[in-house]
Amino acid sequence: MKKFIINIIVFAAIIGFFAALFDYAITTGLRNRTDYQQEVWNDLMNPDVNPDVVVLGNCVALDDVNPAIIDSALGVDSYVFAMSNLTFPYHNFMWEMYRKYRSTLPKLVILCLDYSDMNYRDAKTNQENEQFLSLMYDKDARDFLLQYGGYSFLDAYMPCYRYFGHTKRIKYGLMNFIGVKGYAGVRNRYKGYQALDVPYSFPKDWYDGAFEQPIEDGVVAMLDTFLYDCKKMGIEVLVTLPPIAYELSDMIVNKEDVYHLYEAISEKYGYPCLNYCAPHWMSMDTNYFETPNHLNGYIADQYTADLARYIKDSIL
């Protein structure tokens, strides 16, 4: 019996060893890829990428704020660190990760907020959850994802467990790890920005009539702390609410409560808050949008230029 138990332990140890090697190979291969969101994470954790202006937010930041215009208008170096379909706790997470890997701070943070930002959201079930698979080796990322992202102890500590069901990422990671050509990826964003230029559509399955957007006290407190810390560190902040199509705006029952909240917290710390939602002209024509909360490339440039003018005149 004793020999049998020893054999089981040895067998389990061997399986665990090879699972750990497999996990390392997949994760390293993914971290070394350059594709879509991974390129942003790689730049976020690269201290050589050290912009003067940091743009934070969800898809309203990555699709609406063009760093080329910010750089040209202000003579600075800017970068958009943003994740689609996620809320302020994740913007704050990217900010904490940004600071972790750098000894210097930016001059300015442009914080793009929308109507959906003041609540928690599960990263594991997010449609772009694969971006988090390669982050578990970083202790701070792992702790955040365990606390807020819906990930379990097994996801964090059992080799390969989090990759179950992610066949493509396993393939891409392994192929890139062993150096197979064609699996390194291609950069498809410009400093985190991705222009959209397709005709407007309003996916009817997104919303079913009027709705009230949750506002969670813990997330409000997190935003308050973020602005407090920036003020304490001497970092300028521009809070902005990018345009959303009036069709969507009209459906949000408590939008004024959300907007007033952003304005009040910004004012508390002496930071400006620019609201481009309806009735602002950029929100009143659906031809300016790809979807109700994503500007097309042309109007994104107009929006960014307007931000740049304000920053030049009033902040930097």
Side-chain angles (χ1 to χ4, degrees), residues 147-212:
Q147 183 175 0
Y148 296 109
Y151 287 86
S152 68
F153 180 88
L154 292 178
D155 291 314
Y157 294 104
M158 183 175 181
C160 296
Y161 181 83
R162 68 188 179 282
Y163 287 109
F164 290 169
H166 296 284
T167 308
K168 280 189 175 181
R169 303 313 285 179
I170 294 172
K171 177 182 177 181
Y172 291 165
L174 286 175
M175 293 298 101
N176 193 43
F177 180 77
I178 64 178
V180 176
K181 289 184 179 180
Y183 285 92
V186 178
R187 292 185 74 93
N188 57 12
R189 294 194 193 180
Y190 175 74
K191 301 171 86 172
Y193 169 68
Q194 176 180 264
L196 297 175
D197 288 295
V198 296
Y200 175 77
S201 66
F202 192 149
K204 298 303 181 184
D205 59 336
W206 280 17
Y207 308 99
D208 183 20
F211 64 94
E212 184 168 338

Side-chain angles (χ1 to χ4, degrees), residues 66-78 190-191 304-305 308 312:
N66 186 344
I69 293 176
I70 297 288
D71 296 352
S72 175
L74 303 177
V76 297
D77 178 29
S78 61
Y190 175 74
K191 301 171 86 172
T304 307
K312 187 174 184 178

Side-chain angles (χ1 to χ4, degrees), residues 92-307:
N92 190 61
F93 168 50
M94 293 195 97
W95 173 241
E96 294 297 329
M97 292 290 284
Y98 176 89
R99 291 173 54 201
K100 172 181 176 178
Y101 285 92
R102 290 160 184 83
S103 58
T104 58
L105 297 170
K107 298 175 183 177
L108 169 69
V109 172
I110 300 174
L111 178 60
C112 299
L113 297 174
D114 73 6
Y115 62 92
S116 67
D117 264 312
M118 289 296 101
N119 59 84
Y120 297 103
R121 192 166 293 179
D122 191 337
K124 187 175 181 179
T125 57
N126 184 269
Q127 65 187 39
E128 295 189 13
N129 59 6
E130 292 182 337
Q131 66 184 288
F132 301 109
L133 296 174
S134 65
L135 299 181
M136 288 295 182
Y137 286 0
D138 185 290
K139 181 183 183 303
D140 294 317
R142 182 171 64 246
D143 290 347
F144 173 84
L145 292 170
L146 284 171
Q147 183 175 0
Y148 296 109
Y151 287 86
S152 68
F153 180 88
L154 292 178
D155 291 314
Y157 294 104
M158 183 175 181
C160 296
Y161 181 83
R162 68 188 179 282
Y163 287 109
F164 290 169
H166 296 284
T167 308
K168 280 189 175 181
R169 303 313 285 179
I170 294 172
K171 177 182 177 181
Y172 291 165
L174 286 175
M175 293 298 101
N176 193 43
F177 180 77
I178 64 178
V180 176
K181 289 184 179 180
Y183 285 92
V186 178
R187 292 185 74 93
N188 57 12
R189 294 194 193 180
Y190 175 74
K191 301 171 86 172
Y193 169 68
Q194 176 180 264
L196 297 175
D197 288 295
V198 296
Y200 175 77
S201 66
F202 192 149
K204 298 303 181 184
D205 59 336
W206 280 17
Y207 308 99
D208 183 20
F211 64 94
E212 184 168 338
Q213 192 61 47
I215 301 174
E216 301 195 39
D217 291 342
V219 182
V220 174
M222 194 180 294
L223 174 59
D224 189 283
T225 300
F226 170 85
L227 294 176
Y228 170 82
D229 288 343
C230 286
K231 178 62 71 172
K232 189 175 179 180
M233 291 183 287
I235 301 171
E236 296 290 347
V237 178
L238 171 59
V239 178
T240 177
L241 285 62
I244 60 172
Y246 71 91
E247 289 185 322
L248 173 57
S249 180
D250 289 347
M251 298 171 69
I252 307 169
V253 175
N254 62 332
K255 58 181 178 294
E256 295 301 328
D257 294 336
V258 177
Y259 301 159
H260 289 159
L261 172 65
Y262 294 155
E263 291 163 359
I265 295 180
S266 301
E267 184 179 2
K268 177 180 178 181
Y269 295 102
Y271 290 132
C273 180
L274 303 184
N275 188 347
Y276 290 82
C277 300
H280 192 280
W281 67 268
M282 289 188 191
S283 292
M284 300 307 294
D285 189 337
T286 56
N287 290 317
Y288 298 157
F289 293 84
E290 185 255 352
T291 61
N293 51 355
H294 298 86
L295 294 173
N296 62 40
Y298 174 74
I299 296 298
D301 286 352
Q302 306 304 306
Y303 167 63
T304 307
D306 201 66
L307 292 180

